[in-house]
């Protein structure tokens, strides 16, 4: 069995305090190394906190900032996905996730869809990412990243699937709301349903890592989870408290599921492209 | 449709918060400790709202870190005082009693004509200043005890009972407070008595408002959470004059829910384009 041990770094970041969050991340990397974790995933904006508003300008870091280089260096121990406000050299501010391995940046994903409605105001402060790509990891699996709201647009996992992906990593800062008459929040139901459905449709692993803690009275519900290519939940932290959960995923299951349910083989992206062009009136 | 609809919505409101307790308790603990406080202080009136806050605070902090203040006026109902004492003894708390009669009577000594409204507001504001004074004595964060129904209707005294640092119950309607209270084991006499601001003898909330909390909560829920227009609420079977009254109160009291307006002259004005999270630097 070809296994990959993934760490769900369900942390409680401090709002606007990058150095404290950096320490928290590095402690988790050390812990992950002890647990034999090969890839440790942190939530969206784990290094900065979420409801930043005008703090954006203070916490933004370019990729060569010493704080970011420390996180990249930590990937000598364990592959790591971490997230912060990435400032481009021309001073645009992106919600970004970095995949780092062996002390190098492997891939940067800039959030494509910035929620700006109801309780969210991301478009007010941040620039939109423009590109989506999967990438090879040294762990025997092709990876892709989508940050929180990105995952609510099915074109995102679809494009990753066409680009080729085994594991879709979703760092998130999902607030708990719409309490239902259930121990689990409405938000948590939506997310688990979503990653299970995607995992089955795209016969891939989906790794959802959500933060915990409160910011301005809003709580982030945690419940980080992994869904497998058969559409089942592999594991869930089942908790709104901080924790590091090691999850073993079986990469051989991709092979069996893609033979049994060959959606990927039969998917016709050219049909999609032709019809999109026609519908869009090109 | 009318009555059935009312009962259906009440049932929904009850069910939707049946698992809210862990969130409310975690909110209290995290937002208090983040602000650098270990202790909390609040007014305990003998009513259901402050009783619920007392029970939640004990869950969050244990009994030694919470400081309830009982602040009767000479006309306060003896039953209220008894109920406040019931909460104190049920939870094993140490409560301080501060009789506000001398300071209220001193102020109104030469103003026999002062209306009940003025006297009630004055009492609410005196209690607020006593709570904030004890916030320094105990180094404790003042907790709010206003519920969502009161906040939306503006049924409270600005800078009086509406003032607090953090409020664990401000997103719960009055009928939901009853549900939470019964889950927490609040004494039966507090659960069943008619809600009263107890600012003058024989005052009851429902008598003063002119409608019941059940009606108010259902209509507010439809207007606010379900985004019904007032016409749609009427079509759902509710009395038009009642719907209009409630919608109007909600609108007219918006000012009580916001900071004072500031005349904008600079490029960064507090509340307009000087935008930081409340948890800034915590």
């Amino acid at each position: 069995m070809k296994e990959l041990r993934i760490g769900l770094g369900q942390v409680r970041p401090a709002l606007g305090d990058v150095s404290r969050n950096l320490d928290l991340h590095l402690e988790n990397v050390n812990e992950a190394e002890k647990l034999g974790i090969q890839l440790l995933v942190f939530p969206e904006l784990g290094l900065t906190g979420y409801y930043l508003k005008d703090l954006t300008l203070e916490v933004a870091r370019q990729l060569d900032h010493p704080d970011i280089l420390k996180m990249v260096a930590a990937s000598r121990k364990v592959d790591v996905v971490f997230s912060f406000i990435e400032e481009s050299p021309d001073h645009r501010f992106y919600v970004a996730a970095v995949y780092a391995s062996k002390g190098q940046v492997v891939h940067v994903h800039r959030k494509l869809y910035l929620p700006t409605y109801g309780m969210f105001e991301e478009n007010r402060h941040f620039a939109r990412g423009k590109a989506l790509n999967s990438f090879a990891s040294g762990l025997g699996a092709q990876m892709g990243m989508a940050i929180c709201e990105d995952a609510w647009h099915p074109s995102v996992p679809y494009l990753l699937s066409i680009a080729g992906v085994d594991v879709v990593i979703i760092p998130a800062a999902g607030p708990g709301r719409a309490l239902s008459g259930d121990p689990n929040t409405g938000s948590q139901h939506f997310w688990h349903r979503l990653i299970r459905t995607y995992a089955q449709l795209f016969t891939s692993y989906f790794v959802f890592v959500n933060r915990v803690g409160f910011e301005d009275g809003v709580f982030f519900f945690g419940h980080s989870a992994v869904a497998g290519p058969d559409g089942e939940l592999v594991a869930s932290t089942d908790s709104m408290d901080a924790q590091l959960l090691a999850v073993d995923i079986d990469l051989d299951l991709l092979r069996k599921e893609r033979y049994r349910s060959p959606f990927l083989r039969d998917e016709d992206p050219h049909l999609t492209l032709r019809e999109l062009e026609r519908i869009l009136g090109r | 449709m009318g009555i059935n609809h009312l009962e259906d919505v009440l049932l929904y409101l009850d069910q939707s918060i049946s698992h809210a307790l862990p969130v409310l308790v975690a909110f209290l603990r995290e937002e208090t400790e983040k602000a650098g406080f270990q202790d909390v202080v609040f007014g305990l009136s003998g009513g259901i709202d402050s009783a619920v806050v007392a029970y939640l605070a004990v869950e969050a902090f244990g009994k030694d870190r919470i400081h309830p203040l009982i602040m009767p006026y000479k006309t306060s109902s003896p039953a209220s005082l008894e109920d406040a004492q019931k909460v104190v003894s049920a939870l094993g708390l140490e409560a301080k009693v501060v009789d506000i009669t001398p300071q209220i009577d001193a102020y109104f000594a030469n103003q026999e004509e002062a209306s009940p409204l003025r006297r009630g507001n004055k009492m609410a504001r005196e209690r607020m200043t006593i709570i904030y004074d004890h916030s320094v004595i105990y180094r404790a964060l003042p907790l709010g005890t206003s519920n969502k129904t009161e906040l939306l209707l503006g049924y409270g005294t600005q800078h009086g009972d509406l003032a607090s640092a953090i409020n664990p119950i401000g997103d719960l309607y009055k009928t939901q407070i009853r549900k939470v209270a019964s889950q927490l084991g609040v004494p039966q006499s507090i659960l069943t008595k008619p809600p009263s601001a107890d600012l003058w003898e024989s005052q009851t909330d429902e008598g003063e408002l002119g409608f019941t909390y059940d009606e108010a909560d259902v209509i507010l829920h439809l207007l606010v959470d379900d985004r019904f227009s007032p016409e749609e609420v009427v079509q759902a079977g509710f009395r038009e004059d009642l719907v209009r009254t409630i919608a109007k109160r909600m609108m007219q009291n918006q000012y009580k829910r916001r900071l004072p307006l500031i005349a904008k002259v600079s490029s960064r004005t507090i509340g307009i384009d000087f935008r930081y999270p409340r948890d800034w630097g915590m």
Side-chain angles (χ1 to χ4, degrees):
Chain A
M1 200 160 74
K2 207 167 86 182
E3 279 203 334
L4 174 60
R5 180 165 292 185
I6 297 179
L8 312 183
Q10 183 172 294
V11 292
R12 175 185 281 110
L15 183 57
D17 192 340
V18 178
S19 72
R20 199 157 116 198
N21 293 326
L22 182 61
D23 289 346
L24 177 69
H25 279 53
L26 294 174
E27 283 162 25
N28 272 270
V29 170
N30 289 336
E31 190 59 30
E33 190 185 21
K34 285 182 211 152
L35 293 171
I37 285 167
Q38 296 162 278
L39 165 62
L40 173 58
V41 181
F42 290 105
E44 176 185 18
L45 297 183
L47 279 184
T48 58
Y50 181 76
Y51 275 111
L52 292 162
K53 300 178 186 258
D54 282 349
L55 287 171
T56 301
L57 198 59
E58 288 173 35
V59 303
R61 301 282 188 265
Q62 297 203 12
L63 278 172
D64 59 359
H65 188 284
D67 289 341
I68 303 309
L69 295 179
K70 278 181 201 159
M71 277 307 297
V72 175
S75 73
R76 290 200 187 91
K77 299 174 182 168
V78 176
D79 280 16
V80 61
V81 170
F82 63 94
S83 171
F84 64 107
I85 302 295
E86 183 222 349
E87 181 172 351
S88 64
D90 62 353
H91 312 299
R92 290 180 228 205
F93 303 91
Y94 295 96
V95 179
V98 169
Y99 188 110
S101 176
K102 301 181 176 60
Q104 302 288 326
V105 171
V106 175
H107 187 78
V108 179
H109 173 71
R110 292 169 168 172
K111 192 173 185 178
L112 303 165
Y113 288 100
L114 303 174
T116 305
Y117 53 81
M119 63 194 294
F120 306 108
E121 48 185 46
E122 293 185 25
N123 253 318
R124 193 184 169 94
H125 304 283
F126 309 131
R128 275 178 82 149
K130 296 256 169 63
L132 182 63
N133 257 312
S134 67
F135 52 94
S137 70
L139 300 172
Q142 190 77 9
M143 305 280 180
M145 295 194 285
I147 301 176
C148 209
E149 187 86 358
D150 286 344
W152 290 89
H153 293 262
S155 51
V156 171
Y158 177 76
L159 288 170
L160 286 174
S161 173
I162 298 303
V165 78
D166 300 318
V167 179
V168 176
I169 297 159
I170 308 175
R177 56 206 164 110
L179 289 185
S180 56
D182 193 289
N184 303 323
T185 65
S187 327
Q188 178 198 328
H189 280 298
F190 308 149
W191 271 106
H192 284 192
R193 203 160 56 209
L194 188 76
I195 62 168
R196 288 183 58 182
T197 305
Y198 282 159
Q200 187 166 26
L201 290 179
F202 299 112
T203 46
S204 301
Y205 282 98
F206 277 69
V207 177
F208 166 68
V209 177
N210 191 25
R211 59 163 291 179
V212 297
F214 284 78
E215 287 183 1
D216 278 14
V218 173
F219 85 101
F220 297 88
F221 66 92
H223 284 82
S224 304
V226 178
D230 53 359
E232 297 300 321
L233 272 193
V234 179
S236 163
T237 62
D238 240 341
S239 151
M240 55 177 246
D241 271 328
Q243 66 167 291
L244 171 59
L245 182 69
V247 181
D248 292 324
I249 64 170
D250 172 12
L251 294 175
D252 284 337
L253 189 63
L254 293 166
R255 180 172 179 262
K256 289 170 205 154
E257 284 301 322
R258 286 179 188 178
Y259 186 76
R260 188 169 76 97
S261 307
F263 309 140
L264 180 61
R265 181 196 70 191
D266 296 343
E267 178 58 33
D268 181 1
H270 298 287
L271 167 71
T272 309
L273 185 63
R274 275 196 313 275
E275 289 304 293
L276 268 180
E277 285 185 337
R278 183 183 62 75
I279 292 163
L280 294 174
R282 293 262 167 91
Chain B
M1 186 171 180
I3 293 299
N4 281 339
H5 200 79
L6 182 108
E7 281 168 3
D8 289 347
V9 177
L10 286 173
L11 193 62
Y12 166 80
L13 286 177
D14 259 18
Q15 280 171 351
S16 66
I17 45 93
S18 58
H19 291 81
L21 285 182
V23 177
L24 304 179
V25 171
F27 163 87
L28 276 179
R29 196 181 298 128
E30 281 197 35
E31 293 290 9
T32 300
E33 291 177 0
K34 218 164 28 177
F37 287 86
Q38 294 299 312
D39 289 41
V40 293
V41 60
F42 54 93
L44 189 67
S45 66
I48 192 165
D49 298 318
S50 58
V52 163
V53 169
Y55 275 74
L56 289 172
V58 170
E59 296 260 324
F61 306 107
K63 64 185 174 68
D64 296 333
R65 287 162 59 190
I66 80 171
H67 306 281
L69 299 173
I70 301 175
M71 296 171 283
Y73 180 66
K74 65 188 177 194
T75 62
S76 296
S77 119
S80 297
L81 200 57
E82 269 169 42
D83 283 332
Q85 294 292 0
K86 267 189 209 165
V87 171
V88 167
S89 57
L91 292 172
L93 302 174
E94 246 177 67
K96 181 167 173 183
V97 180
V98 181
D99 181 0
I100 64 169
T101 307
Q103 64 208 74
I104 297 296
D105 286 355
Y107 180 77
F108 287 112
N110 299 315
Q111 308 182 64
E112 290 309 314
E113 78 291 355
S115 65
L117 176 69
R118 281 183 57 203
R119 289 173 190 273
N121 280 337
K122 179 71 178 158
M123 287 177 215
R125 292 188 182 116
E126 287 301 322
R127 291 185 175 116
M128 180 279 293
T129 65
I130 292 166
I131 292 170
Y132 273 79
D133 183 44
H134 282 76
S135 155
V136 180
I137 297 173
Y138 297 129
R139 214 189 130 52
L141 198 68
L143 301 184
T145 58
S146 297
N147 61 57
K148 189 172 186 173
T149 311
E150 293 171 331
L151 291 170
L152 287 172
L153 293 175
Y155 189 59
T157 300
Q158 193 181 26
H159 312 305
D161 52 306
L162 295 182
S164 70
I166 62 170
N167 178 351
I169 62 168
D171 205 15
L172 298 178
Y173 290 107
K174 187 76 176 188
T175 52
Q176 294 178 312
I177 298 278
R178 288 187 198 129
K179 168 84 175 181
V180 170
S182 70
Q183 284 178 330
L184 287 165
V186 170
Q188 199 61 30
S189 60
I190 297 175
L191 276 172
T192 48
K193 71 179 173 187
S196 167
D198 201 12
L199 294 174
W200 54 86
E201 282 169 76
S202 76
Q203 180 193 23
T204 66
D205 292 0
E206 293 178 338
E208 197 188 1
L209 287 166
F211 43 81
T212 67
Y213 274 117
D214 282 1
E215 290 171 316
D217 287 358
V218 169
I219 291 170
L220 287 169
H221 170 69
L222 293 176
L223 289 171
V224 174
D225 306 294
D226 285 351
R227 297 179 195 263
F228 278 37
S229 67
E231 294 72 28
E232 287 170 326
V233 180
V234 173
Q235 279 161 22
F238 294 93
R239 265 172 35 221
E240 185 168 357
D241 59 329
L242 183 57
V243 174
R244 299 257 164 244
T245 302
I246 286 175
K248 194 170 164 194
R249 274 199 79 126
M250 180 165 68
M251 187 174 67
Q252 283 179 329
N253 285 293
Q254 172 69 353
Y255 75 94
K256 289 189 182 176
R257 297 184 288 263
R258 299 290 305 268
L259 289 173
L261 294 185
I262 291 175
K264 181 171 176 63
V265 290
S266 78
S267 64
R268 285 191 85 195
T269 308
I270 295 158
I272 299 176
D273 41 21
F274 175 83
R275 297 165 60 87
Y276 288 90
R278 161 75 184 261
D279 285 356
W280 189 10
M282 288 184 185

